[in-house]
Amino acid sequence: MRATTLLTFLALSGCGARDSTSYFPLQPGARWTYAVETESDGATSRSQQTIRVLDERVYDGKPLFIRRSETPDNIGIEYWLRERPDGIVRIAQRLDLQEQASLDEAPRTVLKLPLKLGDSWRTPTVAYTVLRKNEYPREIKYGRPLLMTYTVEAVDEKLTVAAGSFDHCARVAGHAEMTLFTDPVRGFNKVPVTTTEWYCRGVGLVKLERVERLSTTFYSGGRVAMELVEYKPR
C-alpha cells in the first residue's frame, strides 16, 4: 500500500469491540477520519484518510472484523482483524482490485493487549516513502519487507490533536532497519525506519508518525504524519 495506508499498520472479539475502555475499538459502524501529511521525493502532500469498521462476521468458526481504509482517488483496502488472548491480529487483507482477500502467511500482531509498559512484539512492514531515484518501480516496498519491533513506551499520556484532547493514551514506538546500497562511496548502509503511534482508551489510534529519512545518490526518503480529526463510535 502507499504511504497513507500505513495504518496497515495499523488495525476484538464481540465483547472487546463494544468496550468503551478499549485501546482498539472495533464497533461495527465506527468511523475515524485522519489528516495525513506525506513528505516524499522532496515534496509535501496533504490528504485525508478514512477508516471504518464495516461489519462483524464469523470466519473459520471464529469472530472476525472487517476494517476498511480509504483515501480520495486511491484504492481502498479491507483488513481482516481478530482478537486473540495476546491482542489484535490481522489475518488477511483485500484490495478493491481483488475479488477475494489474501490470507497472511501467519497472523500479524497489530496491537498487543493488554497494553503493558515495556511489552514488545515484531510485525512485518514496508518502507512507504523511500524511493529509487533512477530505477523503476521507484517504490522499494514491493520487494523489500522489513521486520519492525514495537515497544510500549508509555501507557497513560495526555494528547491533544485536531479531534480534541484525550487522556489515558499509550505510546508505542517501532524500529526497523533497511540495508541499502546507498551510493558508490558509502556502499551498503543500514537505514533506520521509525514509527510512533498513540492509542487512546475508548478511541483507538489518535496519532502516528513514520520517519524514513534518507538522501543519497540512489534513494530518497521521507515522513508520514497522521492525526485524528473526527471519530464517530457508530
Side-chain angles (χ1 to χ4, degrees):
M1 65 181 177
R2 61 174 220 167
T4 52
T5 57
L6 176 60
L7 286 180
T8 149
F9 86 67
L10 322 103
L12 299 164
S13 69
C15 176
R18 295 161 180 80
D19 184 356
S20 62
T21 66
S22 173
Y23 285 96
F24 206 98
L26 283 174
Q27 174 68 32
R31 181 187 182 99
W32 296 258
T33 302
Y34 297 89
V36 181
E37 182 177 274
T38 304
E39 300 173 13
S40 182
D41 207 21
T44 300
S45 62
R46 293 175 177 81
S47 62
Q48 196 169 77
Q49 180 172 353
T50 300
I51 294 177
R52 294 177 292 147
V53 180
L54 300 183
D55 61 16
E56 176 184 1
R57 64 184 68 168
V58 174
Y59 175 77
D60 197 24
K62 301 175 184 178
L64 179 74
F65 290 89
I66 308 299
R67 200 166 187 249
R68 178 177 174 81
S69 172
E70 56 189 6
T71 57
D73 304 319
N74 194 41
I75 298 171
I77 305 178
E78 293 179 1
Y79 299 98
W80 291 20
L81 303 180
R82 174 172 284 163
E83 182 185 34
R84 303 192 314 190
D86 57 347
I88 310 299
V89 297
R90 192 194 88 180
I91 66 167
Q93 71 172 22
R94 186 187 72 83
L95 304 177
D96 284 348
L97 299 176
Q98 298 174 307
E99 292 186 5
Q100 297 182 339
S102 299
L103 293 174
D104 295 324
E105 292 184 5
R108 299 186 177 194
T109 300
V110 177
L111 191 65
K112 189 174 181 179
L113 296 174
L115 282 172
K116 295 181 181 178
L117 189 65
D119 274 2
S120 64
W121 62 93
R122 305 182 79 185
T123 300
T125 186
V126 295
Y128 298 105
T129 63
V130 175
L131 300 174
R132 299 179 179 92
K133 291 185 176 181
N134 303 307
E135 296 181 49
Y136 293 90
R138 297 194 63 198
E139 297 86 351
I140 71 168
K141 60 185 177 183
Y142 298 115
R144 193 181 293 269
L146 306 171
L147 195 58
M148 178 165 279
T149 300
Y150 292 89
T151 303
V152 181
E153 293 189 334
V155 293
D156 198 24
E157 292 192 338
K158 293 183 178 180
L159 192 64
T160 298
V161 295
S165 296
F166 301 93
D167 296 322
H168 310 299
C169 299
R171 172 165 42 88
V172 179
H175 180 80
E177 289 184 337
M178 296 181 292
T179 301
L180 297 174
F181 188 79
T182 53
D183 58 49
V185 176
R186 291 185 291 176
F188 285 95
N189 285 272
K190 290 185 176 181
V191 179
V193 176
T194 62
T195 295
T196 307
E197 303 167 1
W198 287 264
Y199 295 87
C200 298
R201 189 179 297 171
V203 178
L205 182 69
V206 169
K207 186 177 179 180
L208 179 148
E209 294 181 356
R210 167 67 76 95
V211 179
E212 302 168 354
R213 297 295 186 193
L214 180 63
S215 180
T216 72
T217 303
F218 297 144
Y219 297 96
S220 65
R223 170 182 171 271
V224 179
M226 301 178 62
E227 183 175 306
L228 186 69
V229 297
E230 185 180 40
Y231 169 59
K232 294 183 178 180
R234 57 179 305 158

